[in-house]
Amino acid sequence: MKSVLHVDPIFAATSAPPPFTVGAVLTETRLDSWLALGLVLAAGLYLYGVYRLRLRGDRWPIARTVFFLGPGLGGIALVTVSGLHAYDTALLSVHMIQHMVLSMVAPIFLALGAPMTLALRTLPVGPRKRLLAIVHSRVARVYSFPLVAFAIFVVNPFVLYFSDLYRYTLEHAWAHELVHAHFIMTGCVFFWPLLGLDPLPGRWPYPARALLMLLSVPFHTVLGLTIMQSSTLFGGDWYPSLNLGWVDPWQDQVVAGGILWAGGEFVSVTMLAVLVVQWVKQSEREARRVDRELDRQEARERAADAAPA
């Protein structure tokens, strides 16, 4: 049976996609997807929350806004709205770039933007209580529990790439878009409890968070090397059937595995460094708090000794 090929709009007028170039990535932008609308809505709500805080004289760290809008939402837009999206079903390497950004890079910066904290500080009493009820619900506690989030984060890529599910997402545009959303949600579920800026339940101490991040490194290495050394093409005959004369599907698969391997290790090690820095800063704050308490206790003792009998 002949496969039904999904062709992106950029390829609609031609029998085969043009060679992958930087120019295509910069010029072939798509603003008609539901994900683009969601990004604009998220950015608008975040900026409105910051505006509300400033109206009442409260401060909101500029770095958080930059993280959320820039590498956070901007990173998602870069791989889903720009011309890069036009090649995500033609090149496995481009899909892997999307995978890395959507599941690892963007969620980290979204978490650093602390959007839930911003919402809790700006929402009226009723919606704030409902949001807190959702955050502390049983479902949220289960999915945000670090070991559960870790299992979902690690297992998902193996389920996707080593089953017929990946081929299905190539043949059906709606499934491909759903995978993008799934990558983002999976990354958020894993990284937000680790960074710990928003008030999520079941937060682990920093040593345990750092250990969990360290344990995630080998899985990206294994997955990346497996893809690079695979004797079969991912997606079956999908990529050869596109008849792209300017790319070799086998070589592109090797590049895709390398992106997943190197990118996963880089992000994991960087994230580990961030957790260590947070851990050190927390220890310093705790040490200063203890010093202040000791100073107050010593001052009270001196005052008691100096008081007349």
Side-chain angles (χ1 to χ4, degrees), residues 91-174:
L91 296 172
L92 182 61
S93 57
V94 170
H95 171 78
M96 285 304 172
I97 294 174
Q98 288 183 321
H99 180 153
M100 295 304 305
V101 173
L102 296 178
S103 66
M104 297 191 72
V105 179
I108 291 174
F109 287 100
L110 292 177
L112 290 174
M116 194 172 300
T117 300
L118 178 62
L120 291 173
R121 291 182 62 181
T122 56
L123 286 173
V125 176
R128 185 188 311 143
K129 289 182 177 179
R130 286 192 287 271
L131 178 58
L132 282 173
I134 294 173
V135 171
H136 294 283
S137 65
R138 179 173 299 179
V139 173
R141 287 199 302 269
V142 170
Y143 279 100
S144 64
F145 184 68
L147 286 179
V148 174
F150 175 78
I152 296 173
F153 183 74
V154 168
V155 171
N156 273 344
F158 289 92
V159 173
L160 175 64
Y161 298 121
F162 295 97
S163 69
D164 294 333
L165 181 59
Y166 181 62
R167 174 60 183 258
Y168 186 86
T169 65
L170 293 174
E171 296 175 342
H172 300 83
W174 68 268

Side-chain angles (χ1 to χ4, degrees), residues 231-253:
S231 59
T232 59
L233 283 175
F234 285 75
D237 63 347
W238 172 266
Y239 295 110
S241 69
L242 297 177
N243 296 315
L244 304 180
W246 45 270
V247 64
D248 178 7
W250 290 99
Q251 290 296 325
D252 185 62
Q253 182 163 298

Side-chain angles (χ1 to χ4, degrees), residues 32 49 81 155 159 179 195 224 228 242 277 284 301:
D32 59 348
V81 177
V155 171
V159 173
V179 166
L195 286 167
M228 293 176 69
L242 297 177
V277 170
E284 291 175 349
E301 292 176 352

Side-chain angles (χ1 to χ4, degrees), residues 23-308:
V25 173
L26 295 176
T27 59
E28 298 297 333
T29 301
R30 179 185 63 177
L31 298 175
D32 59 348
S33 69
W34 63 268
L35 193 54
L37 178 62
L39 293 174
V40 173
L41 181 61
L45 290 174
Y46 191 94
L47 289 175
Y48 179 70
V50 174
Y51 172 73
R52 287 283 303 274
L53 281 181
R54 290 184 177 180
L55 275 183
R56 69 188 191 199
D58 293 338
R59 295 181 57 188
W60 183 255
I62 296 178
R64 291 186 178 182
T65 304
V66 172
F67 285 149
F68 188 83
L69 298 180
L73 296 181
I76 296 173
L78 177 64
V79 297
T80 60
V81 177
S82 74
L84 199 66
H85 83 277
Y87 292 85
D88 62 0
T89 57
L91 296 172
L92 182 61
S93 57
V94 170
H95 171 78
M96 285 304 172
I97 294 174
Q98 288 183 321
H99 180 153
M100 295 304 305
V101 173
L102 296 178
S103 66
M104 297 191 72
V105 179
I108 291 174
F109 287 100
L110 292 177
L112 290 174
M116 194 172 300
T117 300
L118 178 62
L120 291 173
R121 291 182 62 181
T122 56
L123 286 173
V125 176
R128 185 188 311 143
K129 289 182 177 179
R130 286 192 287 271
L131 178 58
L132 282 173
I134 294 173
V135 171
H136 294 283
S137 65
R138 179 173 299 179
V139 173
R141 287 199 302 269
V142 170
Y143 279 100
S144 64
F145 184 68
L147 286 179
V148 174
F150 175 78
I152 296 173
F153 183 74
V154 168
V155 171
N156 273 344
F158 289 92
V159 173
L160 175 64
Y161 298 121
F162 295 97
S163 69
D164 294 333
L165 181 59
Y166 181 62
R167 174 60 183 258
Y168 186 86
T169 65
L170 293 174
E171 296 175 342
H172 300 83
W174 68 268
H176 201 72
E177 295 288 344
L178 189 61
V179 166
H180 290 166
H182 182 68
F183 281 157
I184 298 170
M185 293 177 61
T186 301
C188 289
V189 166
F190 179 63
F191 286 109
W192 284 26
L194 294 183
L195 286 167
L197 295 185
D198 279 327
L200 297 175
R203 187 173 300 167
W204 279 12
Y206 279 107
R209 297 187 214 174
L211 177 60
L212 199 63
M213 195 68 241
L214 185 62
L215 291 175
S216 71
V217 176
F219 290 97
H220 293 101
T221 302
V222 170
L223 182 58
L225 288 175
T226 301
I227 293 175
M228 293 176 69
Q229 299 173 359
S230 176
S231 59
T232 59
L233 283 175
F234 285 75
D237 63 347
W238 172 266
Y239 295 110
S241 69
L242 297 177
N243 296 315
L244 304 180
W246 45 270
V247 64
D248 178 7
W250 290 99
Q251 290 296 325
D252 185 62
Q253 182 163 298
V254 173
V255 173
I259 290 172
L260 188 60
W261 176 17
E265 288 198 356
F266 175 78
V267 175
S268 296
V269 172
T270 302
M271 179 66 185
L272 182 61
V274 170
L275 289 175
V276 170
V277 170
Q278 288 184 333
W279 183 7
V280 170
K281 288 184 177 180
Q282 184 198 47
S283 299
E284 291 175 349
R285 288 194 298 268
E286 182 65 20
R288 288 194 296 267
R289 187 191 66 79
V290 172
D291 288 341
R292 288 194 297 269
E293 180 60 31
L294 291 175
D295 289 341
R296 286 193 293 266
Q297 183 177 347
E298 184 178 347
R300 288 194 296 268
E301 292 176 352
R302 286 198 302 265
D305 291 341

